[in-house]
Amino acid sequence: MRQDMEVWKQVFQELIREVKPWHTWKLTLDKSLLPNILKPGWTQYQQWTFARFQCSSCSRNWASAQVQVLFHMHWSEGESRGQVKMRVFAQRCQKCSQPSFEVPKFTEENISRILNNLVLRILKKCYREGFTLVEIPVIKEISLEGPHDSDNCEACLQGFCVQSESGLAMWSPISPLPPTISSPVLGITTETPSPTRSSTGGDAVKKKKVLPRQSFPETTQAESLPTSWSPGANTNFQAERRDQNSFNNCTFYSHTAQHTRSLGMSCSCLILIIIIVIVVKTTI
């Protein structure tokens, strides 16, 4: 567990610094922790998860989905410092006559999911941040059948395992579901806060992005015209052209008639003057 504990500490620091970069938190292992026995100012979080075991005597391997992980958390607001104590309950081999309790081995993915749930509890209980709390389910690598081996479970023998008669909580395995993710190590949304370490992109607290409205220019008169247009398709245009042509023709004919009449009158006057001149000369 010593080597695994370094992984737990590293992942925890990545997660807590993502949401509270200016605060100091420390995760330590404490094998004396007991459920619901808390010091003043401390809060608790329990999770039952999937893990594997190996007997140090016969090298037998087994898996369990009822491995209890217990956390006690304390936050000192004046010092901006927090503490987390952790205990993982062991199991022993059911085949050996005098087996010792073995420490479970977790996948890195499940470590990340468990610690994501822990960080969410810290934000909820220690910082009193308001959001809907949603449990991130752990991944069960295999399907397990049969009852829980209470006789070889450390938590059951101490009287507070989920499967024991005096257990204080009930839990049923949940098939793994993809949690809501928004950052490489932690993502929290106000609707479904579900951070994971293996996720991508975003901030610690994911907010809905309001996309700016794209402004479009108003349609101009030129843009409102049809793409293809011909005068032949416009009957009003044709009527207007016909009316204009008729008016021009009438004006032309009117000017021609007036010019003809003026010319005729001029000729008549000239002839009349010539006749008068001839008559006068004849008379003299």
Side-chain angles (χ1 to χ4, degrees):
M1 184 65 185
R2 180 176 300 177
Q3 183 178 0
D4 291 341
M5 192 61 196
E6 294 302 319
V7 177
W8 286 81
K9 291 180 179 180
Q10 179 182 353
V11 175
F12 175 72
Q13 290 300 325
E14 293 176 357
L15 295 174
I16 199 65
R17 287 172 183 172
E18 184 72 17
V19 292
K20 299 297 177 182
W22 307 112
H23 296 168
T24 301
W25 280 84
K26 185 178 181 180
L27 175 65
T28 58
L29 187 66
D30 189 344
K31 296 182 179 181
S32 65
L33 289 185
L34 295 175
N36 302 311
I37 301 178
L38 301 169
K39 297 178 181 179
W42 288 71
T43 58
Q44 173 179 290
Y45 169 59
Q46 289 174 276
Q47 182 164 355
W48 286 266
T49 182
F50 178 92
R52 293 181 178 274
F53 298 85
Q54 183 176 15
C55 179
S56 57
S57 300
C58 68
S59 299
R60 173 179 170 265
N61 294 291
W62 72 94
S64 175
Q66 307 297 338
V67 180
Q68 183 178 173
V69 183
L70 175 65
F71 298 98
H72 286 183
M73 304 98 70
H74 179 265
W75 165 244
S76 177
E77 187 173 359
E79 300 178 358
S80 296
R81 186 179 300 273
Q83 300 181 55
V84 179
K85 294 182 179 181
M86 168 185 173
R87 180 179 180 181
V88 179
F89 289 88
Q91 294 182 15
R92 61 189 180 188
C93 180
Q94 62 181 199
K95 302 296 183 180
C96 296
S97 57
Q98 294 181 342
S100 58
F101 282 102
E102 308 295 345
V103 176
K105 294 182 179 180
F106 301 88
T107 63
E108 188 171 346
E109 176 63 27
N110 278 341
I111 290 175
S112 176
R113 290 174 177 241
I114 295 168
L115 290 177
N116 270 281
N117 288 330
L118 170 65
V119 170
L120 287 173
R121 265 63 181 190
I122 291 175
L123 295 177
K124 189 76 172 179
K125 295 183 178 182
C126 298
Y127 291 95
R128 302 188 182 280
E129 295 188 3
F131 54 85
T132 303
L133 200 57
V134 177
E135 185 86 2
I136 302 175
V138 296
I139 297 176
K140 290 175 58 178
E141 298 177 7
I142 58 175
S143 178
L144 300 176
E145 298 179 356
H148 177 57
D149 188 6
S150 301
D151 294 335
N152 293 297
C153 174
E154 183 182 21
C156 288
L157 295 174
Q158 295 184 13
F160 43 76
C161 180
V162 66
Q163 295 293 329
S164 65
E165 295 180 357
S166 60
L168 299 175
M170 294 300 295
W171 178 84
S172 59
I174 306 176
S175 58
L177 297 174
T180 303
I181 297 170
S182 67
S183 77
V185 291
L186 180 64
I188 302 170
T189 63
T190 55
E191 296 179 356
T192 55
S194 53
T196 61
R197 180 169 172 260
S198 59
S199 56
T200 57
D203 297 327
V205 178
K206 182 178 179 182
K207 299 179 180 179
K208 287 186 176 180
K209 292 183 179 180
V210 181
L211 296 177
R213 285 189 175 182
Q214 186 175 0
S215 60
F216 296 94
E218 296 182 357
T219 305
T220 61
Q221 184 176 2
E223 292 174 343
S224 62
L225 292 176
T227 55
S228 60
W229 180 84
S230 62
N234 193 332
T235 56
N236 292 331
F237 175 81
Q238 291 178 347
E240 291 176 359
R241 290 297 300 270
R242 285 197 299 270
D243 293 341
Q244 185 175 0
N245 293 336
S246 299
F247 175 76
N248 293 337
N249 292 334
C250 291
T251 303
F252 173 77
Y253 292 144
S254 176
H255 289 180
T256 304
Q258 290 179 2
H259 179 70
T260 303
R261 285 195 299 269
S262 299
L263 183 61
M265 291 179 65
S266 299
C267 293
S268 299
C269 293
L270 182 59
I271 294 172
L272 181 61
I273 292 172
I274 293 173
I275 293 173
I276 293 173
V277 171
I278 294 173
V279 172
V280 171
K281 285 183 177 182
T282 303
T283 305
I284 295 174

